[in-house]
Amino acid sequence: MGIKAIREFPGLGPKSEAMLAKAGITAFEQLKALGAARAFALVRRTSATPSLNLLWGLESALSGPPWQTIARQNRLALLMELEEMEKDMERHTTS
């Protein structure tokens, strides 16, 4: 089996893949290394305006459960992680 495109992973599609590419994330290995929250934060820093469904889809692609399950069971933890990522990125931008 060859390398799969990002859109081929569960929870992600062509629009997700395009938003990630605009943020410089073009390979699933990059997504794995970044994690869902950091990847989402990078997408937000581009001109893209992703909904939280992208965050759920990213985590789904990385961890396996359907994005709907992620949205129900992991919502708070992911949002807290995202908030910390964005604060950290802002600190590094302004320093």
Side-chain angles (χ1 to χ4, degrees), residues 10-12 35-37 40 51-81:
L12 302 175
F40 186 83
S51 75
L52 288 174
N53 285 342
L54 176 61
L55 179 58
W56 316 145
L58 293 169
E59 184 62 28
S60 173
L62 292 171
S63 63
W67 71 266
Q68 299 91 337
T69 302
I70 298 291
R72 278 192 316 272
Q73 295 178 358
N74 301 67
R75 177 182 205 93
L76 184 58
L78 280 170
L79 290 174
M80 290 174 63
E81 184 179 352

Side-chain angles (χ1 to χ4, degrees), residues 38 45 81-95:
R38 184 173 297 276
R45 292 185 78 144
E81 184 179 352
L82 175 62
E83 182 178 5
E84 286 302 312
M85 285 292 158
E86 289 181 329
K87 284 179 184 175
D88 187 51
M89 291 170 88
E90 185 62 31
R91 279 192 296 270
H92 286 90
T93 303
T94 57
S95 350

Side-chain angles (χ1 to χ4, degrees), residues 5-56:
I6 287 176
R7 70 178 166 269
E8 295 178 43
F9 286 87
L12 302 175
K15 288 182 182 179
S16 303
E17 185 176 57
M19 284 190 275
L20 289 165
K22 193 168 188 176
I25 304 165
T26 58
F28 190 74
E29 291 303 316
Q30 286 176 287
L31 178 57
K32 278 184 12 182
L34 291 167
R38 184 173 297 276
F40 186 83
L42 289 170
V43 169
R44 269 194 179 173
R45 292 185 78 144
T46 69
S47 61
T49 54
S51 75
L52 288 174
N53 285 342
L54 176 61
L55 179 58
W56 316 145

